[in-house]
Amino acid sequence: MGRERAHLAASRAALKAMREDVESLDLRDVTGTWVSSLVLRKQVDERIKALADLAHTPLFFGRLDYLHAISEAESEGGGGERFYIGRRHVHDAGGDPMVIDWRAPVSQPFYRASRTEPLDVAKRRRFGYTGGELTAYEDENLSDPDEADSRSALLAAEIEKPRVGPMRDIVATIQPEQDEIVRADVTGTICVQGAPGTGKTAVGLHRVAYLLYAHRERLARTGTLVVGPNRSFLRYIEQVLPALGELDVAQATVQELVGHVEVRGTDSADTARLKGDARMAAVLRNAVRAGITLPTEPCVVVRGSRRWRLPAYELEQIVRELAEREIRYGAALEALPQRIAHAVLVKMEQGGEAPDDRVQDAVARNAAVKAAVKSCWPAVDPVKLVHRLLSDAAFLAAAADGILDADEQAALLWAKPPRSARTAPWSAADAVLIDEAADLVHRTPSLGHVVVDEAQDLSPMQYRAVGRRCTTGSATVLGDLAQGTTPWATGSWAEALHHLGKDGAHVEELTQGFRVPGEVIAYASRLLPAIAPGLAPATSVRDLPGSLALRHVPDGLDAAVLDACRAGLRHEGSVGLIAADARIPALAEALGAAGLPFLDPGTETTAEARLTLVPASLAKGLEYDHVVLDEPAAIVAGEPDHRTGLRRLYVALTRAVSGLAVLHTEPLPAELG
């Protein structure tokens, strides 16, 4: 143990020296301009942040002893047979590695080696830490056929460790099936169907960290993005990537991606479902192109003393050609005056003149050409277009002809059309329609890689909005069909991937849970036949007797819930009180009167504030060591339909890591048995 602690101390000292080397760089004489100076300074500052030593985060968590020496190239310059595996690369003053980045090729056997397939590993050592101090280690002799397989006690302890604060990384506990997803090629899209507690969110985030390591130059140029269901969720996960040394990954909700207008209105469930229907893409395409008209008058351009006449049939041919090429509406609008100008220049050459490119640009700006373009290919404002579509019945009928029936068109129209786009009561679904229209006019820039979590809740139009942000890149799609709680929740991953524009992407199913106790997940899985009949029930590696408590409370439910919260707080770790949204005000008042301080979802818990009051609608993606679940029947009743309510309940039931207490006055849903 003393030797390992000495290596930890030496590694921390080496990391400090690496940071000090960067901090001491003198940039005054190495930059030519103030712009390059700012860029270099920013890069140096980011490097300093990446080299931070997090006191309570283990610098390395494992060690590999290989049977044979590894080549210098594979070992990042080490050339030896023993490697410490950690969150980032650390080297000594001579450049020899002291800690190998978990993403390096030589580290992969730490996650995948087994006694049946040791991958040339003689021994795998795992380290245990308490408050950042190395306190234990455990060895697996993979080359010894006589040593029996056994579950790692340190691995189990790390998985089950109570958590206070934001979501932790799982880099020390990645399982072989998870590692396969993490290291999948950057050019391919992968979809992960993951039951509760299988670590799909953490796997997706670690995949981003791995891709940035393996393809840093490419992704630094094209960008990466993590898309989450709400800000509470994004606040919960935001510390995972910085802990792995990755600082420049953007995070956003779908609503933030499509933030062209201020959302002030709401839709009924049926209207929102219709606005999210993939058919709306065809309606919008028709609406965008509705203003294109074939010219009936010639275009006459006056240059000096001469007049150049372009007949209507030639103009019509140019417009038809652009319309048939299916290029973006805005790109065609920019090309049209140049096409007309080129045709005029041909006339000039035939008339004996020798015009050059400057003449063509001047003709393209001519008033007659501008008038011709405006009359046959008018500019389109996406916001105003959608405003007209939802206000003007005749315009909608023309755009939706053969796509939506009369009842569906009536459902889309505003009952009282607003006077302008600025005063319109835009809904979240409307903003997605505007984003689609904007992309039809001008192409949305594509990123190198996009991770979309809780993807089962997206509508087809929302999938399209995310998909156009990675048309030339790849995606990692994470979700659980059983946790789909929107009226438009996807029915299958094949359908979702089609709308995302990633047909044929590989779908991986994770069914083995590592965080939710077996007793809890088995109870929640009773709902699967009713909410997702095609899914296999999840299992758990954790057998924790007594982790589930069901209690019927004939009266005084609020008082019983407070007692359950106090009981949870007597244990180590975080406590989540999950209830139907309609019950939150009453419970907040009761907690306040009882002197029990509580946090909002996504707020970082601390040793002093460990209780969070969670509306059921915001529980997805979060987890707590102990969960008190208030009145399941109210959670089910709070949704537009029974199946969605059961799915919401399934989410709430699977947020617990150590213990779940279900308290109810009304009968439990029959589907729970």
Side-chain angles (χ1 to χ4, degrees), residues 61 87 101-103 111 167-174 178-179 181-184 199-214 226 237 239-241 243-244 246 449 451 476 478:
F61 47 81
R87 286 169 167 74
D101 196 302
W102 67 274
R103 298 167 287 187
Y111 302 107
M167 180 180 183
R168 287 204 314 266
D169 63 76
I170 61 165
V171 64
T173 63
I174 291 173
Q178 296 172 326
D179 187 66
I181 296 168
V182 167
R183 296 176 194 263
K200 58 183 177 295
T201 295
V203 166
L205 295 175
H206 284 67
R207 174 157 165 72
V208 172
Y210 171 76
L211 293 177
L212 285 168
Y213 173 88
V226 175
I237 69 170
Q239 294 304 315
V240 173
L241 289 169
L244 299 173
E246 300 301 341
H449 193 79
V451 175
T476 300
L478 311 166

Side-chain angles (χ1 to χ4, degrees), residues 285-295 316 319-320 322-324 327-329 332-333 336 373-378 380:
R285 181 192 176 279
N286 290 341
V288 166
R289 301 173 73 85
I292 300 175
T293 56
L294 297 177
E316 180 181 337
V319 173
R320 282 188 184 276
L322 282 174
E324 291 169 0
I327 63 175
R328 291 292 194 284
Y329 188 91
L333 177 60
L336 183 54
V373 170
K374 185 176 181 179
S375 67
C376 61
W377 205 289
V380 169

Side-chain angles (χ1 to χ4, degrees), residues 106-161:
V106 74
S107 302
Q108 187 170 343
F110 182 79
Y111 302 107
R112 300 209 188 175
S114 65
R115 285 185 179 80
T116 56
E117 197 172 352
L119 303 178
D120 203 40
V121 174
K123 180 168 65 179
R124 171 169 53 206
R125 173 169 288 182
R126 299 182 189 274
F127 296 103
Y129 288 81
T130 302
E133 293 298 319
L134 200 161
T135 54
Y137 67 82
E138 177 184 79
D139 289 340
E140 295 174 85
N141 294 306
L142 301 181
S143 61
D144 185 353
D146 297 326
E147 186 168 315
D149 279 315
S150 59
R151 187 182 176 207
S152 165
L154 286 180
L155 181 62
E158 177 64 26
I159 290 173
E160 298 170 10
K161 185 184 296 182

Side-chain angles (χ1 to χ4, degrees), residues 519-528 531 548 649-650 653-654 672:
E519 192 175 347
V520 172
I521 196 65
Y523 182 68
S525 294
R526 296 181 184 185
L527 296 173
L528 287 178
I531 62 177
L548 173 65
L649 178 59
Y650 179 76
L653 286 169
T654 53
L672 284 173

Side-chain angles (χ1 to χ4, degrees), residues 627-656:
V627 168
V628 177
L629 183 60
D630 171 90
E631 199 63 276
I635 293 175
V636 176
E639 299 298 326
D641 59 85
H642 189 66
R643 190 183 74 160
T644 303
L646 291 177
R647 286 181 166 183
R648 186 74 73 188
L649 178 59
Y650 179 76
V651 171
L653 286 169
T654 53
R655 301 304 95 199

